[in-house]
Amino acid sequence: MTKNKRLIWCLMGTLLPILFIGNLFYGSVSIPCQEILNILSGGEAEKESWMFIILESRLPQAITALLCGASLSASGLLLQTTFNNPLAGPSILGINTGASLGVALVMLFMGGSIGIGSLAFSGFLAVLAGAIIGALCVMAILLFFSTFVKGTLTLLIIGIMVGYLSSSAISLLNFFATKEGVHSYMIWGLGSFSGVSSNQLPFFSITIIIGLCASTLLIKPLNALLLGERYAENLGTNIKQARNLILLTVGLLTACTTAFCGPIAFIGLAVPHIARLLLGTSNHNSLLPFTLLTGAVVALLCNLACTLPGENGIIPLNAVTPIFGAPIIIYVLINQHKIQYFN
């Protein structure tokens, strides 16, 4: 590893704890630093509301942002390598849109509740169940087509068409829904890292960590795919099996993040490019871990940028992420002939 690359790793590794701490200490409610330290060390706070804000809001939100950033970035990198397409992202296969359709059915068609046999869910649990079921349905469709579709480009187009069909269904549901239902769905669609409570955090964290561990196990076939499918097969890589494992991993990560946090834009699309530009390599042995680190940093930065000074509230997440992501994508599109993605 060169000196410049070590410096980049150190810089990103330093930014991560700084931004994580910044998310705990900075918010719409001003809390003295000493009080925050007392709360985090297990002590009592001057105001009970401050303890609730730190332990039940800011800490779970910071952890959620860290894990979401890593999972969306990993999903984007896996898809860009698999489809050899710099514009591939977690939403490209329609998984995000499938989750959104599941939520739309719950909010706009079922009145905010869902029943499965003798079980009935309402509120957040219904939204979560709808998002997961919607994402899993899209994943089932993609895996079905992947059993007899050989080319990744064809599978990519099928995923895009599934996304369009889901978007069409969402538009129809919005047209016939009540104003309250449309408003609730619009708020969910803006994205937020505050959707995971302290009670839900263990399940969310374990699920994301399982998906991230699965992505690291795919480094060898991902590196083989950089050479092209024919060369990868000559190296002993089972293309269809590797592709299905990548789709399952991306599906798990995307479904979980979308279900809890809404359809978050640009992080999964832009962060892999940032990581490639900084490292100057497409070798997944170093690129994948660095992408996870960069995704966590970018997500924490976006979450911090969402908080307005004073008590003015919080900006929607999807109003901030394009500010960071769109310039990167424009730069990549203009200079893609100069950038060696697959070396």
Side-chain angles (χ1 to χ4, degrees), residues 59-101:
L59 182 59
Q61 194 168 336
I63 296 173
T64 301
L66 187 152
L67 292 173
C68 273
S71 64
L72 290 171
S73 303
S75 299
L77 178 61
L78 265 61
L79 291 175
Q80 286 169 15
T81 301
T82 303
F83 294 105
N84 196 5
N85 189 331
L87 294 180
S91 60
I92 196 69
L93 292 177
I95 301 170
N96 266 353
T97 316
S100 299
L101 176 59

Side-chain angles (χ1 to χ4, degrees), residues 114 121-130 200:
I114 184 172
F121 303 98
S122 61
F124 176 78
L125 285 177
V127 171
L128 180 62
Q200 298 159 350

Side-chain angles (χ1 to χ4, degrees), residues 2 7 26 45 80 95 100 116 130 146 153 178 182 194 216 232 254 279 290 299 339:
T2 64
L7 184 62
Y26 180 73
Q80 286 169 15
I95 301 170
S100 299
I116 304 174
S146 70
L153 179 61
T178 62
V182 172
S194 61
T216 60
T254 306
L279 283 187
F290 188 74
I339 302 172

Side-chain angles (χ1 to χ4, degrees), residues 9 44 46 90 97 129 135 152 179 188 190 194 205 217-218 220 236-237 239 259 261 273 275 285-286 291 313 317 335:
W9 272 97
E44 294 294 326
E46 183 180 327
T97 316
T152 53
K179 291 182 179 179
W188 177 83
L190 292 174
S194 61
S205 301
L217 297 176
L218 295 168
K220 185 176 179 180
T237 302
I239 298 297
C261 305
H273 295 298
N285 289 310
S286 56
T291 300
L317 183 61
N335 298 281

Side-chain angles (χ1 to χ4, degrees), residues 20-242:
F20 188 87
I21 293 170
N23 275 265
L24 298 179
F25 280 76
Y26 180 73
S28 56
V29 177
S30 180
I31 303 175
C33 294
Q34 187 59 47
E35 292 294 328
I36 296 175
L37 292 173
N38 288 338
I39 293 169
L40 293 175
S41 60
E44 294 294 326
E46 183 180 327
K47 296 181 180 179
E48 189 175 342
S49 60
W50 288 351
M51 184 174 293
F52 179 84
I53 289 171
I54 297 300
L55 297 180
E56 299 296 328
S57 178
R58 291 187 188 176
L59 182 59
Q61 194 168 336
I63 296 173
T64 301
L66 187 152
L67 292 173
C68 273
S71 64
L72 290 171
S73 303
S75 299
L77 178 61
L78 265 61
L79 291 175
Q80 286 169 15
T81 301
T82 303
F83 294 105
N84 196 5
N85 189 331
L87 294 180
S91 60
I92 196 69
L93 292 177
I95 301 170
N96 266 353
T97 316
S100 299
L101 176 59
V103 173
L105 286 169
V106 171
M107 288 186 175
L108 306 177
F109 183 71
M110 300 180 181
S113 62
I114 184 172
I116 304 174
S118 59
L119 297 175
F121 303 98
S122 61
F124 176 78
L125 285 177
V127 171
L128 180 62
I132 292 175
I133 291 171
L136 289 177
C137 288
V138 173
M139 280 302 306
I141 292 171
L142 292 174
L143 289 173
F144 168 74
F145 280 108
S146 70
T147 57
F148 55 85
V149 171
K150 293 183 178 181
T152 53
L153 179 61
T154 304
L155 188 61
L156 179 65
I157 294 172
I158 290 172
I160 294 172
M161 293 303 105
V162 171
Y164 278 131
L165 289 172
S166 300
S167 296
S168 177
I170 292 170
S171 299
L172 290 172
L173 289 170
N174 273 304
F175 182 79
F176 291 106
T178 62
K179 291 182 179 179
E180 294 79 10
V182 172
H183 178 74
S184 298
Y185 180 75
M186 183 191 71
I187 296 298
W188 177 83
L190 292 174
S192 174
F193 291 132
S194 61
V196 183
S197 67
S198 57
N199 293 329
Q200 298 159 350
L201 191 59
F203 171 78
F204 175 79
S205 301
I206 291 171
T207 305
I208 294 296
I209 290 170
I210 290 172
L212 294 178
C213 291
S215 68
T216 60
L217 297 176
L218 295 168
I219 287 177
K220 185 176 179 180
L222 286 169
N223 280 335
L225 287 171
L226 291 175
L227 304 172
E229 292 188 4
R230 183 174 299 177
Y231 287 102
E233 286 180 343
N234 291 335
L235 292 173
T237 302
N238 187 323
I239 298 297
K240 185 174 289 187
Q241 184 184 58

